Amino acid sequence: MKYKYTVTGMTCNGCRTSVEEKLNAIPEVENAMVNLESAEATIQMSKHISTQQLQEVLPNKYSISEQNSFANSSAITTEDTSELKQLFPLFLIFGYITIASILLNRNPWDTNGFMLDFMGLFYIVFSFFKLLDLKGFPKSFRMYDPLAKAVPIYAWLYPFVEVALALLFLMRIEIPIALVITLVILGITTIGVAKTLLDKKSMQCACLGIALKLPMTKATFIENSIMIVMAIIMLIQING
């Protein structure tokens, strides 16, 4: 059962993440996703929970109230049909990265150079969006990344790791090390993404930070898989 609620009192992404974590901690809640801009919470429950019970787990500064069932149905349908629209920034960024990598290596064509530039530009762009809200990103990232859950400081360091990897790839420095690190960190994240998708949880993806509010979808899994495949190909060629 999925229900829609209005949540007031949130003023920043830290508030949103705090409310999301409190709601997700309730045993009967299968998944809770909070939207700061619309001041709404979409909650998937194994059985219906009263609004009073939800309010009790939240700090006093937040107030939660259930929307009517017709509004719930309409909002959820709209949310489902707008998924592609929400993912448009991700597709656009991938398009720009691909085109830029092709142009940098087209004359003469260099496949290895294309993959190195693609990975470097991938990391530099994705780290940029994470650093836009470094305070809010770690909380969202810890919700699905296994290592970030176990070692909280890793979530804070992750954007800077991406910056370092971007420089290594673009400047052609210590490529084997950069490739191995890529396989490790993206492999761990992909495991968390796959688990989220298999559990059919609705969750915000932190791949482009939290400013763009991208939903966790198969596109997130594919995006990581492309980088992993490129890293494997490059390592095989280096060691071949």
Side-chain angles (χ1 to χ4, degrees):
M1 297 178 289
K2 188 180 286 187
Y3 299 87
K4 208 91 164 149
Y5 295 84
T6 296
V7 182
T8 58
M10 299 184 297
T11 57
C12 64
N13 277 307
C15 294
R16 178 197 65 78
T17 304
S18 176
V19 171
E20 208 167 70
E21 289 177 343
K22 296 289 186 184
L23 295 175
N24 276 305
I26 301 173
E28 294 82 4
V29 172
E30 296 177 346
N31 182 65
M33 189 171 181
V34 180
N35 187 302
L36 177 63
E37 291 184 351
S38 62
E40 291 180 340
T42 303
I43 305 178
Q44 181 79 34
M45 308 175 185
S46 57
K47 68 176 184 179
H48 187 263
I49 306 170
S50 68
T51 304
Q52 182 179 351
Q53 288 176 284
L54 296 174
Q55 184 65 63
E56 287 174 355
V57 303
L58 298 178
N60 294 332
K61 64 180 290 188
Y62 307 118
S63 178
I64 186 168
S65 58
E66 186 173 358
Q67 299 178 1
N68 61 65
S69 58
F70 177 79
N72 290 344
S73 176
S74 175
I76 293 169
T77 301
T78 302
E79 180 180 305
D80 292 338
T81 57
S82 65
E83 186 175 282
L84 286 177
K85 184 177 180 181
Q86 289 177 304
L87 288 173
F88 178 72
L90 180 63
F91 297 142
L92 188 63
I93 288 171
F94 255 82
Y96 272 100
I97 291 175
T98 301
I99 292 171
S101 301
I102 290 172
L103 292 176
L104 288 170
N105 297 278
R106 68 184 179 86
N107 191 22
W109 176 249
D110 182 358
T111 301
N112 289 345
F114 165 79
M115 289 191 286
L116 290 173
D117 286 331
F118 183 95
M119 289 189 281
L121 292 172
F122 173 96
Y123 279 129
I124 205 74
V125 172
F126 279 59
S127 63
F128 167 79
F129 283 100
K130 291 179 178 70
L131 290 170
L132 284 178
D133 191 347
L134 188 56
K135 183 178 178 180
F137 165 74
K139 293 180 180 179
S140 294
F141 191 52
R142 285 198 297 267
M143 294 188 72
Y144 63 88
D145 185 272
L147 183 56
K149 288 180 181 179
V151 186
I153 194 173
Y154 172 68
W156 290 92
L157 295 175
Y158 190 83
F160 299 100
V161 172
E162 287 195 328
V163 171
L165 288 171
L167 294 176
L168 292 178
F169 282 125
L170 293 174
M171 298 178 70
R172 309 296 195 261
I173 302 173
E174 299 293 347
I175 297 301
I177 294 175
L179 291 170
V180 171
I181 295 174
T182 292
L183 286 176
V184 172
I185 65 173
L186 288 186
I188 292 172
T189 300
T190 303
I191 291 173
V193 170
K195 187 177 185 304
T196 299
L197 295 175
L198 290 172
D199 291 341
K200 297 181 179 180
K201 291 182 178 180
S202 298
M203 189 178 295
Q204 181 176 339
C205 177
C207 55
L208 281 173
I210 59 177
L212 295 182
K213 297 179 176 59
L214 297 179
M216 182 74 72
T217 66
K218 292 177 182 178
T220 311
F221 180 84
I222 294 172
E223 144 208 327
N224 286 353
S225 298
I226 290 173
M227 289 286 287
I228 290 172
V229 169
M230 284 188 176
I232 292 173
I233 292 173
M234 291 296 298
L235 277 175
I236 291 174
Q237 290 180 347
I238 291 172
N239 297 319

